[in-house]
Amino acid sequence: MRCRKCGGKPAVNMPQHKLALCKDHFLEWIPEQTERFITKYEMFSRQERVLVAVSGGKDSLSLWDILHRLGYQADGLYIGLGIDEGIGYSDESRRLTEAFAAANGLKLHVVEVEKETGQTIPQLARATTRGRGKPCSVCGLVKRHEMNRIARDLGYDVLATGHNLDDEAAVLFGNTLTWSGEYLLRQGPVLPGTPGLARKVKPLCRIYEREMTAYALLRGIEYIYEECPFAAGSTSIYYKELLNKMESDRPGAKLSFYLSFLEARKSGLFAQREQVQAELHPCTNCGQPTSAPGLCSFCRMKEKLAPTVEGRA
Ligand code: Q46
Ligand code: ZN
Ligand code: ZN
């Protein structure tokens, strides 16, 4: 196969789209696709201020790069998790994120979890009962809370994350295996904002992980190659492997799984559930919406922690 646009030597072959492109055309095609999805799902406009959650990985840095190239007002937010595990994971990811921002003249906000809560993510996981050996549940909770807080405090209209199609298909697969209606209802390219919560969008949700890796490499973006050490052995990696097996037998399977879900939901698969969706209340401490009246789960976690934190000071 040759590049479909110029007949030149292909750099990326995409059997899932029956498409091959040379380097230059591929580097144009990814932003064009992203723009198409931003418009189709009404994610945000050029007048709105976008906060991109950047982790130093290929997806989030590439997303930032794409939005910048497309002319959106996109600033970055890096959340330092304090994960070392012998490879200096957080230090290295912060260094690469800061280097990317500096090289492109972009504005980056940095939040260190240890400064905010007195403990790093692995310490928080040990100090609370959430986690059961893995810090991922605490980590997810803290990241969501901090992203929302910064977006609200600094007046951003929308929060963008670098989830790609493989991420979304794996989450969807997991939620389908357990028929988790509440999660299925909330999964999608856009999660509308509510009072106190910025809209959340995933502009790369229809782009394959493989395509994002190719984009980062061909654009010369320096990103952290290592996965977070705590990702090893996770169910989402297992689901990604299963989906990749399907994909290699039937190119396009992942995309059609995700798109059929969006279609089914649009045509009312969860309509009944949507009506009974729980009402949200503002957290009595931080003001972020939460499903039960009183404190949100982040503030409840912090409250439990309080004696430990003071003990350390
Ligand atoms: S949740 Fe778990 Fe990730 Fe946090 S501790 Fe690492 S693997 S970074 S997306
Ligand atoms: Zn070409
Ligand atoms: Zn709260």
Side-chain angles (χ1 to χ4, degrees):
M1 270 221 268
R2 310 294 296 170
C3 170
R4 184 188 287 175
K5 304 235 168 141
C6 68
K9 191 169 164 278
V12 189
N13 239 316
M14 296 172 283
Q16 65 274 21
H17 307 305
K18 299 189 180 61
L19 178 67
L21 292 170
C22 69
K23 177 181 170 182
D24 289 351
H25 282 121
F26 179 75
L27 289 179
E28 275 174 21
W29 182 77
I30 289 284
E32 277 166 18
Q33 291 294 303
T34 311
E35 177 84 299
R36 196 159 76 81
F37 305 139
I38 291 173
T39 311
K40 179 179 167 70
Y41 298 112
E42 299 176 349
M43 292 187 182
F44 45 83
S45 68
R46 284 198 165 62
Q47 280 69 49
E48 289 183 296
R49 292 178 67 225
V50 184
L51 184 63
V52 186
V54 274
S55 66
K58 64 180 189 318
D59 300 301
S60 54
L61 286 180
S62 296
L63 172 61
W64 203 9
D65 179 68
I66 293 167
L67 295 183
H68 175 54
R69 286 179 68 199
L70 288 170
Y72 286 101
Q73 306 180 52
D75 297 341
L77 167 64
Y78 174 83
I79 301 178
L81 306 172
I83 295 175
D84 185 81
E85 295 301 296
I87 58 165
Y89 176 75
S90 288
D91 287 349
E92 182 61 0
S93 56
R94 178 171 171 170
R95 186 186 71 76
L96 290 166
T97 306
E98 287 178 333
F100 179 86
N104 291 281
L106 297 172
K107 184 169 182 178
L108 176 68
H109 306 283
V110 174
V111 169
E112 284 293 340
V113 171
E114 193 174 10
K115 269 204 200 120
E116 299 303 320
T117 66
Q119 308 210 23
T120 64
I121 289 291
Q123 288 170 340
L124 278 176
R126 281 194 292 271
T128 60
T129 43
R130 289 179 86 98
R132 287 178 233 108
K134 274 227 169 202
C136 295
S137 129
V138 164
C139 183
L141 170 71
V142 172
K143 281 195 288 196
R144 269 194 306 280
H145 188 274
E146 290 302 290
M147 286 192 295
N148 288 330
R149 181 176 69 84
I150 300 292
R152 184 192 61 187
D153 290 359
L154 303 181
Y156 286 92
D157 301 293
V158 55
L159 196 60
T161 55
H163 295 96
N164 59 41
L165 174 67
D166 293 47
D167 298 323
E168 291 305 283
V171 171
L172 177 60
F173 191 62
N175 287 339
T176 307
L177 286 179
T178 49
W179 291 111
S180 306
E182 209 55 50
Y183 290 114
L184 288 167
L185 182 63
R186 291 164 53 84
Q187 198 187 343
V190 177
L191 189 61
T194 51
L197 265 196
R199 185 185 331 138
K200 286 201 183 107
V201 300
K202 298 170 182 167
L204 308 179
C205 66
R206 285 178 58 168
I207 303 187
Y208 279 74
E209 176 137 22
R210 219 183 123 247
E211 294 162 16
M212 289 318 300
T213 309
Y215 181 86
L217 292 173
L218 293 174
R219 275 286 286 167
I221 294 173
E222 249 205 282
Y223 64 89
I224 185 152
Y225 292 114
E226 284 87 21
E227 289 257 13
C228 168
F230 296 111
S234 67
T235 43
S236 84
I237 291 189
Y238 175 60
Y239 294 153
K240 279 187 180 179
E241 286 167 2
L242 289 177
L243 291 165
N244 280 339
K245 275 189 198 150
M246 262 167 64
E247 181 76 24
S248 69
D249 293 337
R250 292 172 41 225
K254 258 186 284 202
L255 185 58
S256 96
F257 175 53
Y258 183 62
L259 291 184
S260 321
F261 159 72
L262 294 184
E263 267 312 305
R265 200 180 52 186
K266 205 167 131 199
S267 55
L269 182 63
F270 302 105
Q272 242 183 346
R273 191 133 199 153
E274 245 158 52
Q275 285 165 9
V276 294
Q277 219 189 356
E279 211 187 295
L280 295 175
H281 315 262
C283 164
T284 45
N285 180 48
C286 72
Q288 287 195 20
T290 172
S291 47
L295 292 176
C296 72
S297 16
F298 178 87
C299 292
R300 260 187 283 133
M301 179 192 76
K302 265 183 102 171
E303 200 185 44
K304 267 197 226 149
L305 218 65
T308 334
V309 175
E310 275 157 22
R312 278 165 40 93

